[in-house]
């Protein structure tokens, strides 16, 4: 009777003009048929007789097929297929537009930064922030004419949330507060009239920044009056009381 049922299903589906729906219709008819067979078996019917009675109850194949064809009209089916294709095309267009406006170069740079990430050194100071972990370690030290010293602080930020694609997320921004044994390191100020920079101890970003999807790194440059011993990085506006201390090895 299984073969007879398949013949019946094929006859039903031949009446349905919208062919993409035929597979789904056949699946639904089989589920209905097998449910009916199980019900008859629970009533104690012989398996062969249960299949025969269940098939008879399904009705005339041509009549069932014509009724289903009225529901699955070809023009409705093709309209549905066209709407799906249009939705897919609009989705692709939206993604292309997003990539274009966001900047393909930026997406590539973020991916490269993620793939070429270098772990912070083991001795690096670290602090657990709300959305990630911040590391700090001393970098290169160079002597400048006039007795001033440039000392680098290297920073790494590992975000726990991949949606936080920017280091500003969770720690407000990269503009932390820096201090050494002499006190706060103030940003160098420029006289608006003369456009000259006042002589002061200051820090600045060097431009060495790598921004990935969840991993970011930056180098900050301190300009000091003498050789560095230690410096602390903090961010008072974060609402958390923390400071990362970096120490340079003393010259022998």
């Amino acid at each position: 009777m299984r073969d007879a049922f398949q013949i019946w299903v094929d006859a039903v589906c031949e009446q349905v003009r919208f062919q993409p729906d035929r597979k789904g219709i056949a699946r639904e008819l089989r589920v209905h048929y097998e449910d009916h067979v199980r019900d008859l078996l629970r009533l104690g019917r012989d398996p062969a007789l249960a299949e025969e009675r269940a098939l008879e109850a399904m009705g005339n194949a041509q009549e069932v097929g014509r009724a289903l064809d009225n529901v699955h009209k070809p023009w409705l089916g093709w309209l549905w297929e066209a709407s799906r294709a249009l939705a897919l095309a609009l989705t692709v267009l939206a993604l292309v537009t997003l990539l274009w406006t966001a900047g393909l170069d930026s997406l590539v740079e973020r991916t490269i930064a993620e793939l070429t990430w270098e772990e912070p050194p083991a001795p690096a100071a670290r602090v657990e922030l709300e959305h990630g972990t911040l590391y700090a370690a001393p970098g290169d030290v160079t002597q400048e004419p006039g007795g001033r010293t440039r000392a680098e602080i290297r920073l790494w930020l590992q975000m726990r949330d991949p949606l936080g694609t920017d280091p500003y997320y969770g720690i407000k921004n990269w503009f932390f507060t820096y201090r050494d044994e002499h006190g706060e390191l103030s940003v160098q100020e420029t006289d608006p009239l003369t456009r000259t920079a006042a002589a002061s101890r200051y820090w600045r970003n060097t431009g060495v920044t790598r921004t990935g999807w969840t991993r970011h790194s930056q180098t900050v440059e301190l300009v000091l009056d003498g050789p560095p011993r230690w410096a602390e990085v903090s961010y008072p506006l974060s609402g958390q009381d923390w400071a990362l201390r970096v120490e340079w090895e003393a010259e022998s």
Side-chain angles (χ1 to χ4, degrees), residues 8 12 32 53-65:
W8 182 88
V12 170
H32 181 66
R53 293 290 183 267
L55 182 56
E56 291 175 356
M58 297 294 288
N60 181 272
Q62 282 69 31
E63 293 179 359
V64 173

Side-chain angles (χ1 to χ4, degrees), residues 1-229:
M1 292 304 297
R2 294 289 178 179
D3 292 339
F5 172 74
Q6 188 58 53
I7 293 172
W8 182 88
V9 169
D10 293 341
V12 170
C13 290
E14 285 178 0
Q15 309 302 313
V16 179
R17 289 169 291 172
F18 187 62
Q19 295 188 12
D21 282 354
R22 289 182 177 182
K23 185 176 181 180
I25 290 173
R27 183 169 55 250
E28 292 298 325
L29 291 173
R30 178 169 295 279
V31 170
H32 181 66
Y33 168 75
E34 291 178 348
D35 286 345
H36 196 173
V37 170
R38 282 192 291 269
D39 289 340
L40 293 174
L41 291 175
R42 280 194 291 267
L43 293 175
R45 299 290 192 273
D46 177 75
L49 182 61
E51 293 176 0
E52 180 180 355
R53 293 290 183 267
L55 182 56
E56 291 175 356
M58 297 294 288
N60 181 272
Q62 282 69 31
E63 293 179 359
V64 173
R66 285 192 291 271
L68 289 171
D69 181 62
N70 287 333
V71 176
H72 298 264
K73 295 183 182 297
W75 67 272
L76 285 175
W78 290 119
L79 180 62
W80 168 246
E81 291 294 325
S83 65
R84 291 177 60 188
L86 179 60
L88 177 60
L90 291 176
T91 300
V92 172
L93 178 61
L95 289 174
V96 170
T97 303
L98 177 62
L99 291 176
W100 182 264
T101 55
L104 184 59
D105 289 345
S106 176
L107 298 179
V108 171
E109 288 176 2
R110 286 182 182 273
T111 302
I112 292 175
E114 193 78 14
L115 294 176
T116 58
W117 168 262
E118 294 182 3
E119 293 292 333
R126 57 177 284 175
V127 61
E128 293 292 334
L129 304 174
E130 182 179 358
H131 300 291
T133 305
L134 178 68
Y135 300 84
D140 294 336
V141 176
T142 57
Q143 196 70 32
E144 289 209 329
R148 308 200 96 185
T149 303
R150 293 183 182 270
E152 293 180 348
I153 295 180
R154 300 184 63 195
L155 298 170
W156 296 264
L157 176 63
Q158 289 183 280
M159 306 298 291
R160 285 187 288 273
D161 182 1
L163 297 180
T165 59
D166 197 287
Y168 300 109
Y169 181 69
I171 58 171
K172 309 299 183 182
N173 56 46
W174 280 94
F175 298 101
F176 303 108
T177 297
Y178 303 92
R179 61 182 296 270
D180 67 357
E181 66 267 31
H182 302 293
E184 293 283 334
L185 296 169
S186 60
V187 179
Q188 185 180 35
E189 298 180 355
T190 301
D191 188 316
L193 296 179
T194 63
R195 300 291 182 182
T196 58
S200 63
R201 298 162 62 250
Y202 68 100
W203 60 268
R204 70 176 185 179
N205 301 331
T206 66
V208 181
T209 302
R210 296 178 62 83
T211 300
W213 296 105
T214 59
R215 297 169 174 179
H216 317 274
S217 63
Q218 185 185 47
T219 300
V220 175
E221 195 174 68
L222 306 181
V223 179
L224 307 174
D225 293 331
R229 293 174 51 198

